[in-house]
C-alpha cells in the first residue's frame, strides 16, 4: 500500500516537473496558441504606440517569448536540432504582432524576415520621441477641464496624459553612483515636487462646485497625494448626487401637495349666468360675445338648440331670444367637459372656437 502511494507521488511530481519544463521552454507552443489570434486586444493605429508597446511586451513576457523581440533568444544554426522549433515560435510571434495592428499598417510589414526585425521597424517608425507629441500632450493637459465629465473620466484622461509624457520624456538617471550616497533626500524632494505639480493640475481643472473641497485639500499640511485627493473629490461628487436626488424628489412632492390643496373646481354654470350683455340685456354672455352683434356662425342652429336629446325640453326656464341663442358660445368658452341642455350635451371643438373668435 505504501509502495503504491509512493509511486503515485513520484508520478505526480514527475508530471509537474514536465509541465514546468514546458512553460519554461521559450519554444513551447500550447494548444491555444494559433497564428490567427491577437497578442493584445487593442490594435496599433499609429497614435497609440506607447500603450500598445507596453501591452505587447507584457503579453509576450507572460508567454515566455519576449526574447524573440529583443534578440536574446538567438536563432540557432541551420544544423542545430532546435532550428525548426525556433522558426515555428518566431513565426508565431510575428503573426501575433501583425494581427495586433490595423490592416493598413500591417500591410507595410508583410515582407519582414523575423519578429525581431518587425519589432525594430515598428519601434523606429512609430516610437520616435519628438517635440510634436510632447507639445500635443502638454496642450491637452493645459486645456483639460472637468466640465460635464465625471471625476472618474476626468482623472482618467489626465492620468493617461501624465503616463504618456513620462514615457516620451524618460527621467534621467544617475550613472556615476553619487545619488546612491546622497543623504539629503534629493530624489524624494524631486518626486514630491512632481506630485505637487500634478495635484495642482488636477484641482485647477475641477468645476467651481468643488471649491469648498479644493479649499479643504489645500489647507491640509502636508498636502495629500494625488490619489488621496482624487478619492476625496470623488466621495464629494457621490454625496452631491445623492443629496441632489433627494432634493428633487422633495420639490416634486411639495409641488404636488400644493397643487392639490389649491385646486378648486370652478362652477362654470354659475359663472355663466353672472355674465350680462349690455346691448340686449341678455344673460350668459357679454356684449363682445353676442351673436346678434358679431354674427351667427355657420354651425349654429337655434331650432336644434331648443331640443334636448331630440325631444322638446320641458320645464325649462324661459329666456329671451338673445340670451338663449348666444348661450353656445358662452358654454364653449367655459371649458371642456361642460354640457348644455340646449346643445344636446356636446361641447364645441377648437375649430368652432377659431371661427367664432
Amino acid at each position: 500500500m505504501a509502495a503504491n502511494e509512493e509511486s503515485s507521488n513520484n508520478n505526480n511530481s514527475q508530471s509537474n516537473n514536465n509541465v514546468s519544463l514546458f512553460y519554461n521552454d521559450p519554444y513551447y507552443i500550447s494548444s491555444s496558441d494559433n497564428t490567427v489570434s491577437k497578442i493584445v486586444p487593442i490594435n496599433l493605429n499609429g497614435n497609440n504606440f506607447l500603450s500598445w508597446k507596453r501591452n505587447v511586451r507584457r503579453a509576450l513576457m507572460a508567454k515566455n517569448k519576449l526574447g524573440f523581440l529583443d534578440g536574446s533568444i538567438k536563432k540557432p544554426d541551420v544544423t542545430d536540432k532546435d532550428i525548426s522549433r525556433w522558426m515555428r515560435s518566431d513565426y508565431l510571434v510575428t503573426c501575433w504582432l501583425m494581427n495586433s495592428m490595423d490592416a493598413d499598417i500591417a500591410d507595410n510589414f508583410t515582407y519582414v524576415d523575423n519578429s525581431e526585425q518587425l519589432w525594430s521597424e515598428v519601434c523606429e517608425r512609430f516610437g520616435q520621441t519628438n517635440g510634436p507629441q510632447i507639445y500635443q500632450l502638454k496642450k491637452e493637459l493645459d486645456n483639460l477641464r472637468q466640465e460635464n465629465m465625471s471625476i472618474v473620466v476626468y482623472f482618467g484622461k489626465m492620468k493617461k496624459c501624465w503616463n504618456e509624457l513620462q514615457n516620451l520624456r524618460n527621467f534621467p538617471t544617475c550613472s556615476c553612483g553619487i545619488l546612491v550616497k546622497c543623504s539629503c533626500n534629493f530624489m524624494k524632494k524631486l518626486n514630491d515636487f512632481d506630485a505637487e505639480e500634478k495635484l495642482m493640475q488636477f484641482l485647477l481643472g475641477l468645476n467651481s462646485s468643488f471649491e469648498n473641497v479644493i479649499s479643504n485639500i489645500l489647507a491640509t499640511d502636508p498636502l495629500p497625494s494625488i490619489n488621496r485627493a482624487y478619492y476625496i473629490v470623488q466621495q464629494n461628487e457621490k454625496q452631491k448626487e445623492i443629496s441632489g436626488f433627494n432634493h428633487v424628489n422633495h420639490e416634486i412632492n411639495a409641488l404636488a401637495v400644493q397643487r392639490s390643496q389649491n385646486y378648486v373646481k370652478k362652477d362654470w354654470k354659475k359663472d355663466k349666468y353672472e355674465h350680462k350683455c349690455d346691448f340686449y340685456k341678455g344673460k350668459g354672455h357679454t356684449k363682445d360675445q353676442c351673436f346678434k352683434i358679431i354674427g351667427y356662425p355657420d354651425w349654429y342652429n337655434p331650432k336644434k338648440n331648443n331640443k334636448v336629446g331630440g325631444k322638446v325640453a320641458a320645464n325649462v326656464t324661459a329666456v329671451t331670444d338673445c340670451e338663449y341663442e348666444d348661450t353656445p358660445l358662452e358654454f364653449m368658452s367655459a371649458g371642456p367637459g361642460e354640457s348644455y341642455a340646449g346643445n344636446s350635451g356636446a361641447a364645441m371643438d377648437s375649430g368652432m372656437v377659431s371661427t367664432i373668435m
Side-chain angles (χ1 to χ4, degrees):
M1 189 72 176
N4 291 336
E5 289 182 358
E6 183 177 357
S7 176
S8 176
N9 291 334
N10 291 335
N11 291 334
N12 291 335
S13 177
Q14 185 176 2
S15 175
N16 292 333
N17 290 335
N18 290 336
V19 172
S20 178
L21 288 174
F22 285 146
Y23 282 104
N24 289 329
D25 183 5
Y27 301 148
Y28 172 71
I29 300 177
S30 68
S31 58
S32 61
D33 295 333
N34 56 77
T35 57
V36 296
S37 61
K38 298 165 54 175
I39 194 65
V40 289
I42 300 177
N43 287 351
L44 173 66
N45 58 20
N47 298 320
N48 60 344
F49 174 75
L50 293 176
S51 58
W52 181 83
K53 176 183 177 181
R54 292 176 66 87
N55 291 332
V56 167
R57 290 179 63 87
R58 289 193 187 108
L60 290 178
M61 175 63 76
K63 290 183 173 292
N64 197 25
K65 288 180 171 51
L66 184 59
F68 288 95
L69 298 187
D70 57 25
S72 59
I73 302 178
K74 301 292 184 182
K75 181 179 180 179
D77 294 334
V78 292
T79 57
D80 195 297
K81 60 182 180 64
D82 289 331
I83 183 63
S84 60
R85 300 180 63 207
W86 183 92
M87 292 182 66
R88 284 199 303 268
S89 300
D90 185 72
Y91 285 151
L92 180 62
V93 173
T94 302
C95 291
W96 285 343
L97 293 178
M98 298 280 283
N99 294 335
S100 302
M101 304 177 189
D102 284 351
D104 54 343
I105 295 178
D107 288 341
N108 298 327
F109 304 103
T110 304
Y111 298 101
V112 293
D113 293 331
N114 51 62
S115 59
E116 182 182 1
Q117 180 185 351
L118 172 61
W119 184 251
S120 177
E121 290 192 17
V122 172
C123 292
E124 184 178 358
R125 186 172 304 183
F126 299 101
Q128 292 297 323
T129 301
N130 52 39
Q133 288 177 295
I134 297 175
Y135 172 81
Q136 185 64 32
L137 288 171
K138 292 289 289 183
K139 184 178 180 180
E140 186 175 349
L141 267 177
D142 291 340
N143 296 331
L144 187 57
R145 297 292 183 272
Q146 182 191 354
E147 297 178 346
N148 296 327
M149 293 183 288
S150 66
I151 295 297
V152 175
V153 176
Y154 164 66
F155 182 75
K157 289 188 175 183
M158 186 166 282
K159 183 73 171 175
K160 181 181 178 182
C161 291
W162 289 337
N163 292 337
E164 290 184 355
L165 273 175
Q166 184 177 2
N167 286 326
L168 285 172
R169 300 190 305 177
N170 292 325
F171 192 81
T173 57
C174 177
S175 58
C176 64
I178 295 297
L179 288 178
V180 178
K181 304 175 183 179
C182 178
S183 60
C184 65
N185 294 326
F186 173 76
M187 291 301 299
K188 182 180 182 304
K189 294 177 182 177
L190 202 61
N191 291 331
D192 291 344
F193 178 81
D194 181 64
E196 182 179 326
E197 184 73 16
K198 291 179 178 178
L199 176 62
M200 296 305 169
Q201 283 183 344
F202 172 68
L203 297 179
L204 283 171
L206 292 174
N207 292 337
S208 58
S209 58
F210 292 99
E211 286 183 356
N212 292 334
V213 184
I214 295 174
S215 299
N216 294 334
I217 292 175
L218 294 177
T220 307
D221 188 24
L223 289 173
S225 65
I226 181 65
N227 290 328
R228 178 61 181 170
Y230 163 75
Y231 172 79
I232 294 173
V233 175
Q234 187 187 33
Q235 292 301 309
N236 184 267
E237 181 186 48
K238 290 181 179 178
Q239 248 180 355
K240 287 182 178 180
E241 290 176 355
I242 295 173
S243 59
F245 178 76
N246 292 336
H247 179 67
V248 170
N249 281 344
H250 177 73
E251 286 188 347
I252 293 175
N253 294 333
L255 181 61
V257 171
Q258 182 179 2
R259 291 183 64 181
S260 63
Q261 291 175 348
N262 294 340
Y263 176 72
V264 178
K265 186 175 181 180
K266 188 174 181 179
D267 190 347
W268 295 104
K269 293 185 178 180
K270 180 180 179 181
D271 183 65
K272 164 188 171 344
Y273 287 106
E274 291 178 355
H275 295 170
K276 185 177 181 180
C277 178
D278 297 332
F279 189 73
Y280 282 101
K281 308 303 180 182
K283 294 182 179 181
H285 65 275
T286 58
K287 181 179 178 180
D288 59 336
Q289 296 173 334
C290 183
F291 285 173
K292 291 190 175 183
I293 298 176
I294 65 175
Y296 290 92
D298 296 337
W299 52 265
Y300 184 65
N301 188 350
K303 293 182 179 181
K304 184 178 179 181
N305 289 334
N306 284 328
K307 296 181 180 181
V308 180
K311 296 181 180 181
V312 178
N315 299 326
V316 179
T317 303
V319 293
T320 64
D321 183 55
C322 173
E323 175 185 355
Y324 184 78
E325 290 179 356
D326 290 346
T327 297
L329 177 62
E330 185 59 32
F331 268 105
M332 174 278 301
S333 62
E338 296 293 335
S339 61
Y340 176 56
N343 198 23
S344 302
M348 291 189 296
D349 59 15
S350 59
M352 296 178 181
V353 177
S354 300
T355 304
I356 299 169
M357 303 303 290

